[in-house]
Amino acid sequence: MDVYFPLSKRSRTSASGERFEQKKPSIEVLPDECLFEIFRWLRGGRERSSCACVSKRWLILVSNICKYEIRDNNIIQALNPKDESTSKKGGIVSEVEHNDVDSDGYFTRSLEGKKATDGGLAAIAVGTASRGGLGKLFIRGSNSWNRVTTVGLRAISRGCPSLRVLSLWNLSSIGDEGLCEIANGCHRLVTLDLCHCPAVTDKSLLAIAKGCPKLNDLTIESCANVGNEGLLALACCCTNLKSVSIKNCPLVGDQGVASLLSSASYSLTKLKLQALNITDEMFSVIGHYGKSVTDLSLTSLPNVSDKGFWIMGNSQGLQKLKSFTIASCLGLTDRGLEAVGKGCVNLKQFYLFKCDLLSDKGLVSFAKVAGSLESLQLEDCHRITQIGLFCSLLNCSAKLKVISLVNCLGVMDLTTGLPPLSPCESLQSLSIRNCPGFSDSSLAVLGKLCPQLQHVELRGLHGITDAGFLQLLESCNAGLVKVNLKDCVNLSDKGVCRLTNLHRWTLETLNLDGCKISDASLFAIAENCRLLGDLDVSKCAITDSGIAALAHSDLINVQILSVSGCSMVSDKSLPSLRNLGKTLLGLNLQQCKAISRSAIGLLVQQLWRCNILF
């Protein structure tokens, strides 16, 4: 058998007798400047991407080539007219192979955790540059892993001039130098989101203001070194701001926020201020310059008193405001709330959270003057009682459709009678959650007050029984569509059966999680509810018989079914669940200990289009 041995170069011997191998020439010996010049002469994005795959060094070099530094293909073609890429038919260079696609910013990329590195950003810059350009970039770092530095943002700046949206979260390694690179190269930037970037200072905002005048959406959260100076620069250069959100920035005060509002008075539509050291004077500016604001959120502003809210409301500048959130503002009182209602004549959605000084008097006064109000939500307002709730319904606008009370401990059953009540015909949605004092007598009154209810949510109300619930059901003339009775532990089959009988033609969603019901409720549902598509009977005393009743019903077309925590549902329900699977898109079998793993495995195989939780 013949054996072939490749030829090898003979080792050289030095004068001292030592042998050494002759090294092969390598392009790696070239300095970065030479490699950079070579890469500039490559024809298109495909060739540059191939070079970037060779090594990290080449990747960084290729990613640092700006678009204007790339040699024109016409020059390259003139220097090499006999290029192999010339078409035999017409002698035209293939545009698909050699010409980059216009960078309009088609791509969206996201890096999170350990994937957020300079190498990853360089790869994104090279890969998207010739294929439509990068439009949106989201980088989510972590406390234990911060590998994004100025090098990575420089690659994005030079390779992605089409970038319009940049979001940086939890990146302690990113500072002013990196954002200055973005400002120098990404002049199309319209959205900037900075969250938990402690090394970013006003210098970054100064650069962004000069380099990105088209900016219209700004979010700054927990950036401890950002202050008024940076906001002043943005106010001077970015006069088309539409949305501003500033949260937990201790150096930001009245001057910075006021400058943004005054410069963007006719464009700013959304404003969110949270945990800032602003005062009543700032609220005066909001009331005067917020002419175009439609969405306003004020949260955790400890230095603002009732005077600020009163001035803001009486300034009459928030004529276009439609959605308003006030949360954890201890300075808000009844007087300030009434002034807000008078000043915001087009207000439609109002949310109050943890306003400890607000009482029934202020709520009723607000309801009287807020003529356009459609949705009212109260949470953790413990001085609000049933009197305030009912009187607000009596005095509210004819447009009110939604009312919600969450964890309002002052809501308790009345000990005194109410005057004759006129119904609130406009209200369609009622939500009362975790108000322990709310019970049957209050529910009966609400039934008379709100005859057109379609959506009812009564969650965690241990004082509600079948007696009160039946009175509500009989008062609802429009027909209930969505009913959520989660954790109403004293509601039983009697109430549910009556519900399915009275509202059989309208009921679409029913949540009985944690209620005291049995198979009798499922029998009633199977017989009556033709339109029911979402049913939750988690943690209820139902058995295989109840599931079988649903499966054998010709009326039921349930798409979402939850029996989580139903300990008496076993493997015997497998055929019934398989039959229900003809329409099921979601099935929750978590904590069903009587159902074996093998039965669940069969269901997963047979109900392939259904999302099963187990």
Side-chain angles (χ1 to χ4, degrees):
M1 180 176 66
D2 296 331
V3 179
Y4 170 74
F5 293 95
L7 297 174
S8 59
K9 292 186 178 181
R10 187 174 57 185
S11 302
R12 293 185 179 183
T13 305
S14 64
S16 61
E18 297 179 356
R19 292 189 176 186
F20 61 90
E21 297 289 337
Q22 184 178 5
K23 294 183 179 180
K24 296 181 180 180
S26 173
I27 194 173
E28 288 295 333
V29 300
L30 293 177
D32 290 346
E33 293 79 5
C34 293
L35 288 175
F36 186 86
E37 187 65 25
I38 293 172
F39 295 150
R40 289 176 59 200
W41 285 81
L42 295 176
R43 286 187 176 280
R46 179 173 297 182
E47 288 81 3
R48 289 190 292 276
S49 294
S50 298
C51 289
C53 295
V54 172
S55 66
K56 185 175 180 180
R57 178 193 178 198
W58 284 29
L59 171 62
I60 298 299
L61 286 173
V62 173
S63 67
N64 277 275
I65 302 176
C66 296
K67 189 174 183 179
Y68 67 85
E69 294 175 325
I70 299 172
R71 291 295 183 180
D72 190 350
N73 283 332
N74 294 327
I75 297 176
I76 300 175
Q77 183 64 20
L79 294 175
N80 191 12
K82 296 183 179 181
D83 192 274
E84 296 177 357
S85 63
T86 304
S87 173
K88 294 181 179 180
K89 292 184 179 181
I92 301 174
V93 177
S94 171
E95 292 184 0
V96 175
E97 291 293 331
H98 302 301
N99 288 345
D100 293 344
V101 179
D102 290 338
S103 297
D104 292 328
Y106 296 114
F107 291 100
T108 298
R109 292 291 182 265
S110 178
L111 296 178
E112 298 184 12
K114 293 186 177 181
K115 293 183 179 180
T117 62
D118 288 339
L121 291 176
I124 289 174
V126 175
T128 61
S130 60
R131 293 170 174 80
L134 182 66
K136 299 178 181 180
L137 177 61
F138 303 90
I139 308 176
R140 303 288 187 265
S142 64
N143 295 328
S144 59
W145 185 273
N146 272 307
R147 296 294 181 89
V148 176
T149 65
T150 302
V151 174
L153 292 187
R154 182 182 296 119
I156 294 297
S157 169
R158 299 189 176 185
C160 307
S162 58
L163 187 67
R164 299 189 305 273
V165 178
L166 176 62
S167 179
L168 305 176
W169 280 30
N170 204 15
L171 295 170
S172 59
S173 55
I174 290 295
D176 294 332
E177 189 177 354
L179 280 175
C180 288
E181 290 285 350
I182 294 293
N184 291 332
C186 303
H187 303 301
R188 300 185 190 179
L189 194 70
V190 295
T191 300
L192 178 62
D193 181 5
L194 302 174
C195 179
H196 289 280
C197 297
V200 173
T201 70
D202 288 332
K203 183 180 178 180
S204 295
L205 297 189
L206 288 169
I208 292 292
K210 294 178 180 179
C212 308
K214 296 181 179 180
L215 191 72
N216 60 38
D217 192 333
L218 174 67
T219 300
I220 305 176
E221 179 178 344
S222 299
C223 296
N225 292 308
V226 170
N228 292 329
E229 185 180 353
L231 298 184
L232 285 169
L234 289 172
C236 292
C237 302
C238 305
T239 56
N240 292 316
L241 284 170
K242 296 180 180 179
S243 176
V244 173
S245 176
I246 306 175
K247 176 181 177 181
N248 194 27
C249 297
L251 298 182
V252 172
D254 292 343
Q255 185 182 14
V257 182
S259 63
L260 288 177
L261 271 171
S262 58
S263 65
S265 178
Y266 293 98
S267 63
L268 189 66
T269 59
K270 185 175 181 179
L271 177 63
K272 180 178 180 181
L273 305 176
Q274 181 172 351
L276 302 178
N277 293 318
I278 60 177
T279 65
D280 294 337
E281 294 181 4
M282 182 63 238
F283 273 43
S284 175
V285 175
I286 295 175
H288 184 73
Y289 288 103
K291 299 176 182 179
S292 300
V293 175
T294 60
D295 190 340
L296 177 61
S297 178
L298 306 173
T299 304
S300 300
L301 303 175
N303 297 327
V304 177
S305 67
D306 181 64
K307 178 182 177 181
F309 287 98
W310 186 86
I311 294 175
M312 181 176 66
N314 284 290
S315 297
Q316 300 294 318
L318 298 173
Q319 299 291 313
K320 294 184 179 181
L321 188 64
K322 294 181 179 180
S323 177
F324 195 4
T325 296
I326 302 178
S328 301
C329 290
L330 302 180
L332 179 64
T333 66
D334 295 338
R335 187 184 73 144
L337 185 61
E338 183 180 3
V340 167
K342 290 180 179 179
C344 307
V345 294
N346 291 304
L347 186 64
K348 293 184 178 181
Q349 298 177 350
F350 193 40
Y351 174 58
L352 289 169
F353 174 70
K354 284 190 177 181
C355 296
D356 296 337
L357 299 181
L358 184 64
S359 69
D360 291 340
K361 179 181 177 182
L363 183 62
V364 175
S365 299
F366 173 81
K368 288 180 180 180
V369 296
S372 300
L373 192 65
E374 295 180 1
S375 175
L376 175 62
Q377 301 180 61
L378 305 174
E379 184 172 356
D380 283 334
C381 296
H382 302 307
R383 294 185 65 187
I384 300 297
T385 69
Q386 256 97 329
I387 293 290
L389 172 62
F390 296 151
C391 291
S392 297
L393 290 174
L394 291 173
N395 294 280
C396 69
S397 73
K399 299 179 181 179
L400 186 65
K401 297 178 181 179
V402 179
I403 192 164
S404 173
L405 272 74
V406 180
N407 196 32
C408 293
L409 303 183
V411 177
M412 299 180 181
D413 277 346
L414 298 173
T415 57
T416 58
L418 285 173
L421 303 177
S422 57
C424 178
E425 299 286 351
S426 62
L427 196 70
Q428 299 176 4
S429 178
L430 172 68
S431 176
I432 301 177
R433 292 180 285 161
N434 301 322
C435 297
F438 194 91
S439 60
D440 287 342
S441 60
S442 300
L443 194 59
V445 175
L446 277 179
K448 295 177 181 179
L449 269 174
C450 313
Q452 300 300 320
L453 285 177
Q454 297 180 21
H455 302 165
V456 172
E457 182 180 24
L458 307 172
R459 290 181 55 178
L461 304 182
H462 297 176
I464 298 296
T465 67
D466 293 328
F469 187 56
L470 289 175
Q471 294 186 62
L472 176 68
L473 294 178
E474 293 172 355
S475 301
C476 296
N477 301 324
L480 293 175
V481 178
K482 296 182 179 179
V483 178
N484 187 343
L485 304 172
K486 183 177 180 180
D487 293 329
C488 290
V489 295
N490 291 314
L491 278 179
S492 67
D493 293 325
K494 182 179 179 180
V496 176
C497 291
R498 188 62 174 162
L499 167 65
T500 59
N501 186 34
L502 289 176
H503 303 277
R504 65 174 73 185
W505 300 106
T506 57
L507 193 61
E508 296 178 3
T509 300
L510 179 59
N511 188 339
L512 301 172
D513 184 354
C515 294
K516 192 170 59 177
I517 66 166
S518 64
D519 290 337
S521 293
L522 293 187
F523 294 154
I525 291 171
E527 292 176 3
N528 298 310
C529 300
R530 298 173 179 268
L531 301 180
L532 191 65
D534 190 335
L535 176 61
D536 190 341
V537 288
S538 301
K539 300 192 292 291
C540 294
I542 63 171
T543 67
D544 298 323
S545 300
I547 302 296
L550 293 178
H552 294 143
S553 174
D554 295 330
L555 303 178
I556 288 293
N557 291 301
V558 175
Q559 294 181 331
I560 307 295
L561 176 62
S562 177
V563 293
S564 173
C566 296
S567 58
M568 290 185 285
V569 176
S570 66
D571 289 351
K572 294 180 180 180
S573 291
L574 187 62
S576 300
L577 292 174
R578 189 186 303 117
N579 191 28
L580 288 170
K582 296 175 182 178
T583 59
L584 277 180
L585 299 177
L587 177 61
N588 188 350
L589 299 176
Q590 292 177 319
Q591 303 300 321
C592 292
K593 298 180 180 180
I595 301 180
S596 64
R597 304 293 292 185
S598 59
I600 292 177
L602 286 174
L603 278 178
V604 171
Q605 293 178 3
Q606 295 168 355
L607 307 182
W608 54 271
R609 72 170 188 169
C610 179
N611 184 18
I612 301 178
L613 298 178
F614 55 89

